[in-house]
Amino acid sequence: FELCHRAIFSLWPAFDTDIQNERLNSKNPDKVVWSALQASNIANGLSNINVWKDSKEYAGMVECEVSSRNKSSTPKNEVVSDNNTHSNKVDPVILVPLSFIYEAWACILGLNPPHSPSDFESINVGARCGTMYTWALSNSKNLIPSLSYQTILSENIITVCNYVTDALRKVGLVELYGADVCRESIGPTSKLDFYIGLERIVFNDIVENPIGLLLDEHLLRKCQEILSHSVFTKLKNYLDNDMTQSLPEFGHTNHSFIWYCCRHSIQHLLANGNLDEAQILLVNESFVRLRLQNTGLLRGTFQHCRDCAKLTICLMKRFDSWRSNELQTADEHNNGISGYSLFPMEEYENKELKSSGAPDILAWKECYFKVLCIISTILREKAGEAFSKRLAEGAYENNTTEYNSRHIKEEIGEAFQIVGESIGDIDSDTYRIEELENYEEALQLKTEAFGGDQNNASIADTLYAMGCHHQRFNHISFAQKCYEQALRIYKLTLGYEHFSVARVLHNIGIMYAYKDERDIAMKCFKKSLSIRISASELGDADLSVADSLCWMGKIHRENEELFDARECFMVAHKTKSAILGTHHPECADVLHNIGVVCDDLNLHPQSLSCYSQALAIRRANVTDVYDVTGMNEVCETLNCIATVYRTTGERQKALQFYQQSLKRRVRIVSAVISDKDQISTLLRTYEDVISLLKLEVSESNEKSDMLGQIGKLLLEMGKLYDNRLRKLSKAMLYYQRALEVFKEMKNYKRIGDTLSFMGGVHAKKRAHKKALKCFKDSLVLRKIGSKEETADTAETYHNIGNCEAKLGLFEDCLHSYCEALKIKKKIYPSDMLSLSTAKTEHCMGLALLQLGSVIEALGFFMPAMEVRQQVLGSEHLDYAFSLHNVGRVYFHQGRVDDAIVCLEEALRIKKSKLDNGHPSVAETEHVLASLYIQKEDIATAIPLLKSALSTYKGKKDCDIMKSDIFDLLGKAYSIIGIIEDAILSYKHSLKIKRAVLGLDDVACANVLMEIGKLRASTGDLNEALIAFKEVKRIHKEVYGKEHLRNADLLIQVGLIQEKIDNDDMAFRCYTEALRLRQLLLSENHFEIAEALAHVGKIHQKRAEHFKSISIFQEAIGIYRDPNNKKMMKECADVCRLLGMSQMEISD
């Protein structure tokens, strides 16, 4: 669009150079317009110039003009003149005939009037486009005659150019005019011609600022915004609704729109920053097929892969921006912390969070790979169609058919190669097989295409790509074989001195360099270098030459040929500086290498000079203080300078440069996404600084400050191993070293801080007793170090409470939490919402819940939840934790619906913030499923239970949780009558409980009880009795004889005895169960009524109706007690039995 806009200026002054001067000096804009048109020899005059009405559709405006000129007919769309006269209009400064500028734009945009789709790929289009670019940029007058004004423009070009016109109109750069033309031969006519006019306000801006001839970034983005919105909406609608129909024929009114979208839609979306919409199109299989069908297999594949790569770059830029913000946030968070501190006091429990707000690069790469697989599938389909077509033509095959078949295979082969290279760019390790498969298919198709002539450069290109693939994965023998074949073909087809030969030799050299076969590698690099110098038009002033020299320098250094290495690097630096400029980052890399070699040669002044130059360049190329890559390179050079000063004995200077590096590396590692390599480098820098400080301590009289610095650095190293690398033993080692330093200094506050960190490590190792001792010692020393109660003191009390809770000392932990809460309420103003206070209140709620104080627990959970919601928002994970525990309280209170609302919201937030398979998600699913089982919503409960179970299976120390899930699954399946699945679930639960808790645990008896009931319900009475017998053994072992659980068991055994007609044994069981319940329960408990009903039924079966009536009446009396209102169904059953006995005695 920038070029299209420039073309308006380029065309007009090119007609007559005198007009440009007149344009700047004339006070009569009409005269300027008339002069321009006369000079162009297109028209002798215009009359009735009017702005085209914005309310009218402009589509078809060029067809009107072309039609009026070539067919002498009245245009279908008349130009509607404004009511105002021309004198009331803003005068245009430049008018260019629409057809004329459209033909210019067609060249600028690379368009050509096509007679068939294949004409879009014509070589002439590229040549003409290139010529037009040159002309538009240089304002050359010589090419004007080659633009034929009478050319009839195709509908495709008109459609594209209409888009351009509309965009430029909407941003206010141009206006569209209609005018009557006064011609020499026939005089005035009533037929309107169309012109693009530049408004005076735009013209004046450009006259005042000639550089402003280019569209600025804002206007370019606005043009792209207009087009991206229009194109995406229409294309998405077409893909959703019209793809069921066949593609419109070439020349159809819809065809030009589809063709334009296939080529340019993604470009508009990416340029405007609409990355989500671009991704929607790129992963849409219908769009992929449409694109390949409309633009050709090879070009379509290339465009789609290129656009996917561009989207990846855009997402990476967005990710870098996000990372920079994270670094800045971390930096601000640590602002004011002395020394090189990375982290504040972290929470006791570590949370595994997703990176909030970061572009999901991995998810896009997976989509990218799927898109490439779609393209591969389409290419295979087309290759199969070509083969089938050739078979169908069979005997009628001629030379043309044979040529077409080979051409299609070659084109598809090239497309497969592009797909393979794109897969390699995504993630060469994950999709290595798929990448190689595409190369192999490309090679096979190209081999078939060229038949007996296998010495073709295209085949060599594929072999070279395969060699690069094998080399990346260290498959040296395969890579060498591919390179040798490619090298042989290149030499035969392109000659021994071709650039492609040098490229292969260069890679072979790299391969041998990594194999440590340096002599062979050097020969390859030297030969590659010589070809590159001779093959390049630039001679030795070529970047590829510099690359070869850098590799040769590395090998010379490894061979300890240091002067030769320095010479290679210096020549490479000279070349890169000449081409890229002295301040380019690649020049800094070479200077850094020269510095390393000079350091090896003990040429320390020269080494420092090179490092200093490299440092200056690298600093200048750092985009901001949070540019991770740039800062890493700066730190690398700072470390090298420090090493040189250290070698020369200038320890103070070495320390200064190490400390500069250290501050930058701390900022980088403070980011959420810092990797292990960066952390390792930071740790090495810490060690270097500590070693220098130790030397200074040994020679200094004032040791206190330096010892303090050493202790702080050791503490920071411990925190890195603790919180980032998760190497707890290493962390403990550095904490202990820091502790020794602080003990030597007798710095009680620092000793207390270090003990607190050590307690955190013990807690993570689940050594809670050791953690508790460390935290208590830390509390004592922190109180000695500071007479006032501080946030650190409160945090230590809180951590003590956490340890006591883990040890099951809930009364003690409540006391510790209360102390923490008391201090926090003193520190933080009453009107200040404190997350720290909310955290302690939340933990107090958990402790109270364990002690069974449900109402009190809710009194702490609710204020904590309100603070978290107000401060962190309703999507934060801590708010979800509060919701979960409030839901648990409602669960214990029997408020099932309220509990479900809280838990469902907690589950939604957790799933959005935590990784798949996180135990916290499973915990919420677990509780929520048990509530749905209470409501007998089994269809909702079972998927939740299965999801939680799959999480628990992959986690340690979750066996009891798995067992509970199996119990709930057993209950759920039994409710819906799937008895076998229920029994199987209970068996899994029993196996886990026996392994974890032992054979004699009551939990095993409870599961056996359920299994026995289910066995009895299916008629498997023997298995049921076996289960009940084992329950009896456990109950006797645990409870003895006089326990309610025995009464429950006796009832179940009695039911089985009844089924096998052993009424005497059943009666004994029921009467013993009744005795136990009457002994241990209140007199009106409904379980006594249940036992009475069973005893009464036996009397009824024995025809002892007077006894049964008495017992039934006693049971009914209990059921009718106000406390047993929920037992109405059972009461009704006993009333029915009473009635039956009364009928038997004729009452």
Side-chain angles (χ1 to χ4, degrees):
F1 287 100
E2 179 179 345
L3 288 169
C4 289
H5 185 239
R6 287 176 59 113
I8 300 172
F9 299 92
S10 302
L11 283 168
W12 178 64
F15 299 137
D16 191 338
T17 53
D18 293 334
I19 296 173
Q20 186 167 2
N21 298 326
E22 188 175 357
R23 174 188 66 184
L24 299 176
N25 300 323
S26 175
K27 296 180 180 179
N28 186 347
D30 285 338
K31 183 179 178 184
V32 177
V33 172
W34 278 84
S35 299
L37 293 169
Q38 287 170 348
S40 68
N41 200 26
I42 294 173
N44 292 325
L46 298 177
S47 63
N48 195 25
I49 302 174
N50 284 284
V51 177
W52 176 274
K53 269 203 168 185
D54 289 338
S55 59
K56 296 292 290 181
E57 292 289 337
Y58 71 92
M61 54 198 171
V62 177
E63 292 97 314
C64 298
E65 182 172 5
V66 173
S67 176
S68 66
R69 292 187 180 283
N70 295 282
K71 299 181 182 178
S72 301
S73 60
T74 304
K76 295 178 183 178
N77 297 324
E78 296 292 340
V79 176
V80 180
S81 300
D82 290 337
N83 294 327
N84 297 332
T85 62
H86 175 60
S87 60
N88 294 327
K89 287 296 190 182
V90 177
D91 296 324
V93 179
I94 299 175
L95 284 180
V96 181
L98 200 61
S99 296
F100 197 74
I101 192 62
Y102 271 23
E103 183 145 358
W105 287 357
C107 294
I108 289 171
L109 298 173
L111 313 175
N112 197 39
H115 301 291
S116 68
S118 61
D119 285 353
F120 285 119
E121 312 303 329
S122 170
I123 296 174
N124 294 331
V125 176
R128 190 176 182 196
C129 178
T131 304
M132 191 64 188
Y133 273 117
T134 305
W135 173 80
L137 291 168
S138 64
N139 288 337
S140 170
K141 290 184 276 185
N142 300 329
L143 294 172
I144 292 294
S146 67
L147 297 173
S148 172
Y149 178 62
Q150 298 298 331
T151 300
I152 299 176
L153 300 174
S154 73
E155 183 182 325
N156 296 64
I157 290 180
I158 293 166
T159 304
V160 175
C161 293
N162 282 347
Y163 275 124
V164 178
T165 303
D166 191 41
L168 295 176
R169 289 174 71 213
K170 284 182 178 177
V171 296
L173 290 173
V174 301
E175 190 53 84
L176 191 62
Y177 288 85
D180 294 336
V181 181
C182 299
R183 304 186 187 282
E184 286 183 352
S185 57
I186 57 175
T189 71
S190 61
K191 295 176 182 176
L192 296 174
D193 280 19
F194 297 101
Y195 297 86
I196 282 185
L198 186 72
E199 298 301 316
R200 174 159 291 282
I201 188 170
V202 178
F203 173 77
N204 290 339
D205 288 342
I206 292 168
V207 169
E208 292 171 8
N209 180 21
I211 299 174
L213 190 68
L214 300 177
L215 287 180
D216 62 27
E217 187 70 25
H218 173 71
L219 289 176
L220 282 170
R221 192 174 181 86
K222 202 164 183 182
C223 285
Q224 297 283 8
E225 180 183 354
I226 292 164
L227 284 170
S228 63
H229 177 73
S230 172
V231 170
F232 177 75
T233 305
K234 293 178 182 176
L235 181 58
K236 188 71 169 61
N237 185 58
Y238 174 78
L239 292 172
D240 292 342
N241 301 318
D242 298 334
M243 278 301 293
T244 53
Q245 304 172 7
S246 60
L247 189 69
E249 294 295 329
F250 192 78
H252 189 274
T253 53
N254 236 358
H255 186 275
S256 57
F257 165 72
I258 296 168
W259 172 85
Y260 180 81
C261 288
C262 288
R263 291 180 74 128
H264 300 295
S265 55
I266 304 298
Q267 174 192 345
H268 295 323
L269 291 166
L270 293 179
N272 191 44
N274 297 340
L275 305 190
D276 293 338
E277 288 86 349
Q279 184 171 341
I280 289 170
L281 282 184
L282 287 170
V283 301
N284 188 310
E285 182 175 353
S286 298
F287 177 70
V288 178
R289 290 184 175 276
L290 186 67
R291 197 173 205 181
L292 267 61
Q293 182 177 354
N294 208 257
T295 60
L297 294 175
L298 180 55
R299 184 178 181 85
T301 300
F302 171 76
Q303 280 193 326
H304 209 77
C305 293
R306 179 198 60 190
D307 289 341
C308 286
K310 284 182 178 178
L311 177 58
T312 304
I313 293 169
C314 292
L315 288 171
M316 288 302 296
K317 287 180 179 178
R318 187 174 286 181
F319 180 82
D320 288 340
S321 175
W322 170 85
R323 182 170 63 173
S324 177
N325 291 335
E326 287 292 319
L327 280 162
Q328 189 168 3
T329 302
D331 201 32
E332 291 169 357
H333 186 67
N334 292 322
N335 190 26
I337 298 176
S338 60
Y340 310 103
S341 181
L342 284 167
F343 314 102
M345 174 69 78
E346 296 203 350
E347 289 189 14
Y348 181 75
E349 294 292 343
N350 185 45
K351 299 172 185 175
E352 300 173 25
L353 295 179
K354 287 182 179 176
S355 297
S356 177
D360 198 340
I361 305 294
L362 292 177
W364 159 242
K365 286 186 175 181
E366 289 178 7
C367 293
Y368 187 0
F369 173 68
K370 290 176 182 177
V371 170
L372 294 173
C373 290
I374 290 171
I375 296 175
S376 294
T377 302
I378 295 170
L379 293 175
R380 291 186 189 100
E381 291 172 2
K382 296 300 180 184
E385 288 174 10
F387 180 72
S388 301
K389 184 177 179 182
R390 186 178 176 189
L391 286 179
E393 291 175 353
Y396 302 102
E397 185 177 304
N398 52 42
N399 291 336
T400 303
T401 306
E402 178 67 20
Y403 172 78
N404 289 338
S405 175
R406 289 186 175 185
H407 177 72
I408 291 169
K409 285 182 178 179
E410 181 185 1
E411 185 178 86
I412 296 174
E414 291 285 356
F416 268 121
Q417 184 173 330
I418 291 170
V419 173
E421 290 168 351
S422 298
I423 291 174
D425 290 339
I426 299 174
D427 189 336
S428 55
D429 188 49
T430 305
Y431 307 121
R432 63 169 76 179
I433 296 173
E434 291 81 0
E435 179 188 356
L436 189 58
E437 284 176 352
N438 278 275
Y439 289 144
E440 288 172 347
E441 291 189 71
L443 185 62
Q444 181 182 349
L445 285 165
K446 288 182 179 182
T447 303
E448 293 175 3
F450 295 111
D453 181 17
Q454 295 298 297
N455 296 324
N456 190 283
S458 180
I459 293 176
D461 291 341
T462 306
L463 287 166
Y464 173 77
M466 293 174 74
C468 294
H469 169 85
H470 289 304
Q471 187 175 353
R472 283 201 308 272
F473 298 108
N474 206 28
H475 300 156
I476 302 302
S477 58
F478 291 108
Q480 187 169 349
K481 184 178 178 182
C482 291
Y483 283 144
E484 287 174 353
Q485 290 182 51
L487 190 62
R488 180 186 61 78
I489 296 172
Y490 280 141
K491 286 179 177 178
L492 285 173
T493 56
L494 304 175
Y496 282 67
E497 301 298 318
H498 194 272
F499 196 83
S500 295
V501 174
R503 182 181 62 173
V504 178
L505 285 169
H506 183 84
N507 278 18
I508 292 173
I510 295 172
M511 186 172 62
Y512 280 112
Y514 282 124
K515 288 170 64 177
D516 205 29
E517 297 182 31
R518 295 193 286 270
D519 292 339
I520 301 174
M522 182 62 78
K523 288 179 182 178
C524 292
F525 287 131
K526 284 182 176 179
K527 182 61 179 175
S528 173
L529 180 64
S530 127
I531 295 171
R532 282 174 165 174
I533 292 173
S534 61
S536 173
E537 295 177 359
L538 302 173
D540 58 357
D542 188 277
L543 281 178
S544 63
V545 171
D547 291 338
S548 294
L549 284 166
C550 286
W551 273 101
M552 290 170 66
K554 291 176 185 177
I555 293 175
H556 280 309
R557 182 174 179 250
E558 289 172 0
N559 288 336
E560 298 185 357
E561 299 162 351
L562 300 178
F563 287 102
D564 291 335
R566 186 176 66 162
E567 182 64 26
C568 287
F569 284 129
M570 290 177 73
V571 175
H573 177 255
K574 181 180 177 182
T575 302
K576 291 196 173 189
S577 296
I579 298 170
L580 301 173
T582 55
H583 298 291
H584 196 275
E586 289 189 23
C587 296
D589 297 341
V590 182
L591 280 168
H592 185 93
N593 284 330
I594 296 172
V596 171
V597 175
C598 290
D599 197 8
D600 294 338
L601 289 165
N602 292 322
L603 302 173
H604 299 304
Q606 293 91 325
S607 174
L608 284 173
S609 174
C610 291
Y611 284 143
S612 298
Q613 292 178 61
L615 181 63
I617 296 169
R618 286 178 167 177
R619 276 178 169 165
N621 282 283
V622 173
T623 56
D624 56 52
V625 293
Y626 306 106
D627 175 5
V628 174
T629 304
M631 292 293 278
N632 267 328
E633 292 174 346
V634 169
C635 291
E636 181 187 15
T637 306
L638 285 168
N639 280 2
C640 288
I641 293 173
T643 303
V644 174
Y645 280 124
R646 185 177 181 177
T647 304
T648 57
E650 299 178 70
R651 288 202 298 267
Q652 285 294 332
K653 287 186 178 180
L655 199 56
Q656 288 175 10
F657 280 97
Y658 275 134
Q659 287 173 337
Q660 286 184 48
S661 171
L662 197 57
K663 288 178 181 178
R664 289 172 171 82
R665 291 203 181 278
V666 166
R667 182 179 286 117
I668 293 167
V669 174
S670 293
V672 177
I673 37 65
S674 56
D675 57 36
K676 289 184 178 180
D677 289 338
Q678 291 173 356
I679 294 172
S680 299
T681 305
L682 175 59
L683 287 168
R684 287 195 297 271
T685 309
Y686 274 134
E687 291 285 9
D688 290 333
V689 174
I690 289 170
S691 64
L692 281 173
L693 286 170
K694 284 181 177 178
L695 289 172
E696 291 293 312
V697 167
S698 64
E699 298 177 4
S700 174
N701 294 325
E702 297 181 1
K703 299 181 179 181
S704 180
D705 290 342
M706 292 184 184
L707 281 174
Q709 290 184 52
I710 291 171
K712 290 176 187 177
L713 294 176
L714 289 168
L715 198 62
E716 293 304 321
M717 292 179 75
K719 290 194 290 189
L720 278 173
Y721 280 113
D722 183 359
N723 299 305
R724 292 301 176 86
L725 299 177
R726 302 289 189 266
K727 294 182 178 179
L728 300 181
S729 298
K730 274 273 192 183
M732 184 62 76
L733 177 65
Y734 281 97
Y735 287 148
Q736 287 170 344
R737 288 174 60 186
L739 188 63
E740 291 170 5
V741 173
F742 294 134
K743 281 181 178 179
E744 185 180 345
M745 296 173 62
K746 295 183 179 180
N747 188 327
Y748 297 114
K749 183 180 183 306
R750 288 290 183 185
I751 294 170
D753 293 343
T754 308
L755 284 168
S756 181
F757 287 119
M758 293 171 70
V761 172
H762 285 309
K764 289 173 185 176
K765 288 183 171 183
R766 302 182 186 278
H768 298 296
K769 288 183 179 179
K770 290 182 179 179
L772 183 59
K773 184 180 185 307
C774 285
F775 286 130
K776 285 184 175 180
D777 291 343
S778 170
L779 180 65
V780 172
L781 289 162
R782 278 177 164 171
K783 285 182 176 180
I784 294 173
S786 175
K787 301 302 180 182
E788 297 180 358
E789 292 177 328
T790 64
D792 287 340
T793 308
E795 200 63 39
T796 307
Y797 270 119
H798 182 92
N799 288 336
I800 290 170
N802 282 340
C803 291
E804 289 167 338
K806 293 289 184 181
L807 293 169
L809 307 172
F810 297 112
E811 296 285 354
D812 293 340
C813 81
L814 272 176
H815 172 73
S816 299
Y817 288 141
C818 283
E819 289 296 319
L821 194 60
K822 190 196 311 180
I823 296 170
K824 288 178 180 181
K825 286 185 176 180
K826 282 183 183 178
I827 295 171
Y828 303 113
S830 57
D831 60 342
M832 180 179 174
L833 297 173
S834 169
L835 289 175
S836 180
T837 304
K839 179 177 69 172
T840 303
E841 288 176 331
H842 184 86
C843 290
M844 290 184 73
L846 290 172
L848 288 165
L849 200 58
Q850 291 290 337
L851 292 169
S853 303
V854 177
I855 297 175
E856 290 182 54
L858 189 62
F860 285 100
F861 283 139
M862 291 303 290
M865 184 173 73
E866 289 170 3
V867 169
R868 287 174 169 179
Q869 186 180 22
Q870 290 182 49
V871 177
L872 302 174
S874 299
E875 295 298 318
H876 197 275
L877 193 59
D878 284 347
Y879 177 61
F881 292 152
S882 291
L883 279 170
H884 172 89
N885 286 304
V886 170
R888 286 176 63 195
V889 171
Y890 289 153
F891 171 74
H892 288 297
Q893 290 180 332
R895 297 164 61 180
V896 175
D897 292 332
D898 292 337
I900 287 175
V901 171
C902 290
L903 291 166
E904 281 185 337
E905 181 64 9
L907 183 61
R908 182 191 66 77
I909 298 169
K910 286 183 178 182
K911 283 185 173 180
S912 69
K913 300 292 183 182
L914 295 171
D915 294 327
N916 293 332
H918 195 281
S920 183
V921 176
E923 185 182 356
T924 305
E925 290 173 331
H926 186 165
V927 180
L928 191 56
S930 65
L931 289 165
Y932 280 121
I933 289 174
Q934 283 189 29
K935 291 174 69 73
E936 297 192 356
D937 186 355
I938 308 303
T940 305
I942 288 178
L944 289 169
L945 291 170
K946 288 183 176 179
S947 176
L949 185 62
S950 67
T951 298
Y952 289 144
K953 280 182 177 177
K955 305 293 180 183
K956 295 179 180 179
D957 304 326
C958 288
D959 289 333
I960 295 300
M961 304 297 285
K962 283 186 278 186
S963 175
D964 291 344
I965 294 287
F966 279 123
D967 288 340
L968 288 170
L969 281 170
K971 186 175 181 180
Y973 285 130
S974 64
I975 289 172
I976 58 177
I978 308 177
I979 304 302
E980 288 301 321
D981 287 352
I983 292 173
L984 185 62
S985 297
Y986 281 126
K987 281 185 174 180
H988 284 307
S989 172
L990 182 63
K991 183 178 179 182
I992 294 170
K993 284 182 168 69
R994 281 175 167 172
V996 176
L997 304 174
L999 298 176
D1000 297 332
D1001 195 90
V1002 174
C1004 298
N1006 295 338
V1007 178
L1008 283 165
M1009 191 78 162
E1010 297 299 326
I1011 292 173
K1013 290 178 183 178
L1014 291 170
R1015 291 290 190 193
S1017 69
T1018 61
D1020 192 352
L1021 303 182
N1022 289 332
E1023 289 294 329
L1025 286 172
I1026 291 170
F1028 290 144
K1029 185 176 180 181
E1030 181 65 10
V1031 173
K1032 180 182 178 182
R1033 184 192 66 78
I1034 296 171
H1035 282 181
K1036 184 178 180 182
E1037 185 76 23
V1038 177
Y1039 302 124
K1041 292 183 178 180
E1042 304 293 316
H1043 198 275
L1044 275 176
R1045 293 290 182 90
N1046 291 330
D1048 300 338
L1049 176 62
L1050 286 165
I1051 294 291
Q1052 297 300 323
V1053 173
L1055 290 171
I1056 292 176
Q1057 296 298 334
E1058 269 196 89
K1059 288 182 180 180
I1060 59 176
D1061 295 328
N1062 192 351
D1063 292 339
D1064 291 340
M1065 181 60 72
F1067 185 72
R1068 288 170 58 189
C1069 290
Y1070 292 146
T1071 52
E1072 179 61 14
L1074 179 61
R1075 185 189 70 79
L1076 288 171
R1077 287 180 174 177
Q1078 286 175 333
L1079 177 67
L1080 300 170
L1081 296 172
S1082 60
E1083 59 179 358
N1084 286 329
H1085 198 280
F1086 69 89
E1087 289 186 4
I1088 296 175
E1090 180 193 21
L1092 285 167
H1094 287 299
V1095 172
K1097 283 193 286 185
I1098 297 296
H1099 282 302
Q1100 190 179 66
K1101 288 176 71 176
R1102 291 175 173 177
E1104 298 169 351
H1105 298 298
F1106 288 102
K1107 289 183 179 180
S1108 68
I1109 289 171
S1110 174
I1111 291 172
F1112 288 146
Q1113 286 175 338
E1114 185 180 353
I1116 291 168
I1118 295 172
Y1119 278 134
R1120 284 179 173 168
D1121 186 274
N1123 294 323
N1124 296 325
K1125 288 181 179 179
K1126 293 183 180 180
M1127 308 304 295
M1128 288 298 100
K1129 179 180 179 298
E1130 289 78 1
C1131 183
D1133 292 338
V1134 179
C1135 286
R1136 180 179 57 82
L1137 293 171
L1138 174 61
M1140 292 170 63
S1141 292
Q1142 288 169 334
M1143 287 174 63
E1144 292 295 329
I1145 62 171
S1146 302
D1147 184 358

